């Protein structure tokens, strides 16, 4: 079964997505997500100019060999742009293989290890009261794990929420240039423990809680925060510091028993390797799109399992439903799955373009058994939502120093 054609689509049903469609000479096609938030067209160029011409005529069944060919064969290994391209091709090939075998992809990985996929919801707010109201609603809806983010007093509009009480803090839209947000570590560290204290006072300890720091702290500051949060027993603290220096995570580990999650920006298993083998992290958050596809996640899961590290794949809205469904299959299979980030089933525009069958019940997601990934892409609908350049914000400290967003 040969690869006959590969098409790349860019659309913006609420935010930009890059979708890859591999068409085989047997008429079967597969879909992959190549979305790299704020750098979408770089991946399109990489695919169209440097990847697709090399793949036409190859055997679509040779997923591993194609992965190695695109990775080792490029000479320039790693990097978000190239790994998003490889990730999308890989997902699409697993989709093809599942369709040909007439089996859902999780069956090809080794079958189900669980009944449903436990997810964590995002709960955001402009104030602690606001967050607690939303948390109460999430618990009523059945969520068992929730991530809490809150606007930090004095630095409104910063990480935590988006104005207008929208439930997601970084909706894309008309941002043709990156907005700039202020940040104060001191105000943040003074405030966050109070958020979790109040959440525990009001809702107790049955609900599991997490928090995303978005790499805004230094290792010793993150260690302080982890210690301050110990009484509130978090499931994990995410992205405490940038991962450029794994030893930073050793500092955190040496000072606190608050569990640590990291990896949404990892592009390969080698990014994760020192953090996992030194047991500095508890959850690895690599996405199929940014980490080189299902082939990469399978290896990462097996490697992480040797160190009791569990998967908690990235599930932000800048990953398309194709990546979401790829994660569903990996999560169903991986014996060391932990929890899946989940921001809901999407807007009407999104569902106009992508369709998939999944339902939420009692804090878990269940997918329908369909061959392949079980997701579809409506090319005609996508044409109604043309690409709009849009960026994530950037952050500056109060004195103007550029900081991590
Ligand atoms: O593109 C960046 C987003 O995916 C990221 O900001 C979301 O940190 C994030 C998360 O945990 O979902
Ligand atoms: Mg994150």
């Amino acid at each position: 079964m040969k690869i006959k054609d590969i098409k790349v689509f860019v659309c913006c049903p609420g935010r930009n997505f890059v979708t890859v469609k591999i068409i085989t000479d047997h008429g079967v096609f597969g879909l992959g997500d190549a979305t790299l938030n704020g750098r979408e067209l770089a991946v399109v160029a990489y695919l169209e100019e440097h990847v697709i011409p090399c793949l036409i005529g190859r055997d679509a069944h040779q997923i591993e060999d194609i992965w190695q060919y695109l990775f080792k064969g490029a000479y320039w290994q790693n990097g978000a742009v190239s790994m998003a391209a490889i990730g999308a091709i890989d997902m699409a090939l697993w989709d093809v293989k599942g369709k040909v075998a007439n089996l859902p992809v999780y069956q090809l990985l080794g079958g189900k290890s669980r009944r449903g996929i436990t997810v964590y919801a995002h709960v955001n707010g402009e104030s602690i009261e606001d967050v607690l109201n939303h948390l109460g609603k999430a618990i009523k809806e059945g969520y068992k794990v929730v991530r809490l983010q809150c606007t930090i007093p004095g630095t409104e509009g910063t990480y935590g929420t988006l104005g207008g009480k929208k439930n997601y803090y970084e909706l894309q839209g008309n941002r043709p240039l990156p907005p700039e947000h202020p940040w104060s570590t001191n105000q943040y560290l003074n405030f966050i423990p109070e958020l979790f204290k109040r959440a525990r006072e009001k809702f107790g300890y049955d609900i599991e809680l997490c928090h995303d720091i978005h790499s805004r702290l230094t290792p010793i500051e993150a260690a302080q925060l982890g210690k301050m949060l110990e009484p509130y027993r978090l499931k994990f603290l995410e992205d405490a510091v940038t991962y450029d220096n794994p030893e930073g995570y050793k500092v955190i580990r040496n000072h606190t028993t608050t569990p640590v999650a990291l990896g949404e920006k990892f592009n390969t298993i080698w990014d994760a390797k020192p953090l996992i083998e030194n047991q500095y992290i508890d959850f690895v958050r690599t996405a199929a799109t940014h980490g080189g596809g299902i082939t990469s996640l399978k290896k990462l899961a097996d490697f992480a399992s040797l160190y009791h590290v569990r998967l908690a794949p990235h599930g932000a809205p800048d990953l398309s439903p194709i990546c979401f469904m790829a994660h569903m299959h990996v999560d169903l299979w991986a014996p060391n799955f932990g929890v899946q980030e989940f921001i809901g089933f999407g807007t009407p525009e999104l569902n106009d373009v992508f369709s998939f069958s999944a339902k939420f019940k009692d804090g878990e997601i269940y997918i329908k058994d369909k061959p392949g990934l079980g997701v579809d892409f409506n090319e005609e609908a996508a044409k109604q939502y043309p690409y709009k350049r849009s960026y994530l914000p950037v952050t500056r400290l109060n004195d103007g120093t550029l900081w991590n967003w």
Side-chain angles (χ1 to χ4, degrees), residues 120 122 147 149 159 168-170 211-215 238-239 263-265 285 314-316 341 405:
Y120 72 88
H122 282 207
R147 185 188 98 160
Q149 306 294 137
Y159 187 72
Y168 196 69
Y169 59 94
E170 53 169 275
H211 177 66
D212 190 349
I213 303 176
H214 241 256
S215 315
E238 177 192 337
D239 280 3
E264 69 179 46
K265 290 200 248 178
R285 294 194 15 84
H314 192 200
E341 182 179 18
W405 189 81

Side-chain angles (χ1 to χ4, degrees), residues 217-375:
L217 300 179
T218 64
I220 200 68
E221 289 163 353
Q224 278 174 23
L225 181 63
K227 256 181 122 154
M228 288 192 280
L229 292 176
E230 274 172 23
Y232 316 119
R233 255 197 25 244
L234 267 61
K235 187 171 185 76
F236 59 70
L237 257 187
E238 177 192 337
D239 280 3
V241 302
T242 51
Y243 69 93
D244 39 15
N245 173 27
E247 295 301 298
Y249 277 82
K250 183 177 182 182
V251 174
I252 301 170
R253 211 31 149 205
N254 282 345
H255 289 94
T256 178
T257 56
T258 295
V260 173
L262 182 68
E264 69 179 46
K265 290 200 248 178
F266 289 170
N267 303 134
T268 69
I269 195 168
W270 295 281
D271 292 332
K273 184 172 176 278
L275 291 142
I276 292 175
E277 69 192 359
N278 288 305
Q279 313 216 67
Y280 294 159
I281 62 174
D282 304 279
F283 294 89
V284 60
R285 294 194 15 84
T286 309
T289 296
H290 305 132
I294 291 173
T295 298
S296 299
L297 281 196
K298 185 164 170 36
K299 287 177 193 172
L300 179 62
D302 282 335
F303 175 65
S305 75
L306 302 182
Y307 300 90
H308 304 270
V309 172
R310 288 180 286 163
L311 297 192
H314 192 200
D318 51 295
L319 296 157
S320 91
I322 301 171
C323 181
F324 170 78
M325 286 305 291
H327 288 168
M328 293 296 105
H329 291 272
V330 173
D331 296 347
L332 267 179
W333 153 73
N336 54 330
F337 166 70
V339 67
Q340 171 67 52
E341 182 179 18
F342 177 59
I343 38 80
F345 289 124
T347 58
E349 295 101 301
L350 186 82
N351 295 324
D352 206 14
V353 176
F354 298 95
S355 47
F356 55 99
S357 285
K359 68 172 193 215
F360 172 83
K361 191 168 177 284
D362 297 333
E364 293 172 12
I365 290 188
Y366 296 83
I367 59 167
K368 252 215 177 103
D369 266 359
K370 288 197 172 164
L373 293 176
V375 58

Side-chain angles (χ1 to χ4, degrees), residues 104-165:
V105 167
Y106 73 80
Q107 294 289 19
L108 308 179
L109 296 174
K112 275 190 195 184
S113 297
R114 58 195 49 78
R115 189 189 56 232
I117 297 149
T118 301
V119 292
Y120 72 88
H122 282 207
V123 161
N124 308 310
E126 311 279 327
S127 64
I128 293 185
E129 288 67 34
D130 201 16
V131 173
L132 297 185
N133 280 338
H134 289 139
L135 176 56
K137 283 186 199 140
I139 293 172
K140 275 207 185 95
E141 285 167 27
Y143 286 99
K144 305 281 188 283
V145 191
V146 172
R147 185 188 98 160
L148 301 186
Q149 306 294 137
C150 188
T151 298
I152 311 303
T155 50
E156 276 74 17
T158 59
Y159 187 72
T161 50
L162 194 74
K165 297 197 188 296

